[in-house]
Amino acid sequence: MTEHTHSLTSTDSSHGHRHEEGLARLLDLDAAMSGTSWDEVAGWATRYAGGSPDRIADLGSGTGTGALALARRFPAAEVLAVDRSPVMLERVRAAAREQGLEGRVHAVPADLDQEWPALGAVDLVWASSFLHEVADPGAVLGHVRGALRPGGLLAVVELDGLPRFLPENLGFGRPGLESRCHRVLADAGWNAHPDWRPLLEAAGFEVHGPHTVSASGHEDPAATAHYAQAWLAHMRPALQERVGADDLAVLDRLLAPDSPETLRHRRDLSFRAGRTVWAARRP
């Protein structure tokens, strides 16, 4: 998973490295919070694979949530984690070592806007929060179709919306803060993606779905608060010129570690998110 968080907008290398380190932490937190829904997404999509794949490619792998989950689901498969970020790929390697999967999960550095890597023939391609990031999705789908063996499967996964954590009424500030923030970020293009079915069909795939899976709640309130802190801090710079000063002040009170209203002290947070998946089979 790379979602809009995959993109680097700074040309300063030290800033870019810090930015990607932050994104990697955010992706790992998402994986921890959304674990059961990821299993449901993978289970629904891979039912159309027509058997156990021998070779899998995870495009825009991020920190490896999809690649590692698929390696566990298909214990005989070789999995290629493809990403342009060295930071993300080092996270993949480390997680694969920790989980005893380093012999089957391989990091592949590649910017798929520039050049298609030599992946060989694959049975399953996983593309989570990735396709909307590339400059030419149609060209990428052509490469994917060419890499898939006949009968092979492409699973395209997108966030159904930005994750939510806050209650409608925080007890201070105007109600509806999170909804207002999400609206302006949507207007700015965050998580913008179409229904991929028409483009998948135009690329020659047999398409199933879309199918949406929801995730909500978490047994550990501290983990929810930690993820909420990371996500709202990630959103905050993009909101600077897009929401009112009153909303920014409320966000800053939620994020400040020494504030009485800081997220880590709240017990009314709840995690809500969803993902939509398209299963596209090469005839």
Side-chain angles (χ1 to χ4, degrees), residues 2-278:
T2 53
E3 46 203 60
H4 65 275
T5 57
H6 176 73
S7 298
L8 277 174
T9 57
S10 173
T11 57
D12 179 84
S13 60
S14 62
H15 178 276
H17 185 81
R18 293 194 302 273
H19 181 62
E20 290 223 332
E21 289 283 3
L23 299 184
R25 289 192 293 273
L26 196 65
L27 293 176
D28 285 342
L29 286 168
D30 176 79
M33 294 292 293
S34 306
T36 56
S37 67
W38 271 116
D39 291 340
E40 188 176 345
V41 167
W44 182 86
T46 57
R47 65 191 286 189
Y48 297 103
S52 295
D54 294 324
R55 191 173 175 85
I56 300 169
D58 179 8
L59 305 184
S61 64
T63 57
T65 300
L68 297 164
L70 291 165
R72 294 190 298 269
R73 178 175 287 271
F74 300 109
E78 178 184 21
V79 182
L80 307 174
V82 184
D83 204 286
R84 68 185 181 185
S85 164
V87 171
M88 300 295 180
L89 292 179
E90 185 50 43
R91 292 289 189 109
V92 174
R93 294 185 188 98
R97 287 193 297 269
E98 291 170 5
Q99 298 179 31
L101 298 171
E102 68 270 33
R104 294 195 295 114
V105 176
H106 309 288
V108 179
D111 183 342
L112 298 180
D113 275 333
Q114 302 297 323
E115 185 177 1
W116 189 259
L119 301 179
V122 295
D123 304 292
L124 172 62
V125 172
W126 186 262
S128 176
S129 295
F130 161 76
L131 198 58
H132 72 260
E133 289 282 352
V134 300
D136 188 345
V140 168
L141 288 176
H143 287 300
V144 170
R145 192 180 188 281
L148 281 169
R149 294 187 176 101
L153 183 75
L154 164 64
V156 176
V157 186
E158 296 281 9
L159 277 172
D160 195 40
L162 300 182
R164 289 182 172 269
F165 304 93
L166 304 180
E168 179 71 11
N169 192 336
L170 291 164
F172 65 101
R174 289 187 294 142
L177 171 68
E178 196 165 48
S179 294
R180 287 193 297 279
C181 292
H182 284 194
R183 282 197 296 272
V184 300
L185 291 177
D187 290 343
W190 279 47
N191 195 48
H193 62 81
D195 177 353
W196 289 112
R197 173 184 277 272
L199 191 59
L200 289 166
E201 290 177 337
F205 290 96
E206 298 173 352
V207 183
H208 302 273
H211 176 73
T212 299
V213 174
S214 297
S216 61
H218 196 273
E219 60 187 18
D220 184 356
T224 301
H226 187 41
Y227 188 26
Q229 177 86 18
W231 184 256
L232 267 66
H234 178 68
M235 289 166 48
R236 174 62 175 82
L239 296 168
Q240 180 64 39
E241 304 296 332
R242 295 187 171 102
V243 300
D246 57 337
D247 281 340
L248 292 176
V250 170
L251 273 174
D252 289 341
R253 288 167 68 180
L254 291 171
L255 291 170
D258 56 352
S259 167
E261 297 91 1
T262 185
L263 289 166
R264 69 181 64 182
H265 293 160
R266 299 192 70 100
R267 294 294 178 264
D268 57 354
L269 304 177
S270 61
F271 170 63
R272 294 97 71 198
R275 283 181 168 83
T276 297
V277 55
W278 295 257

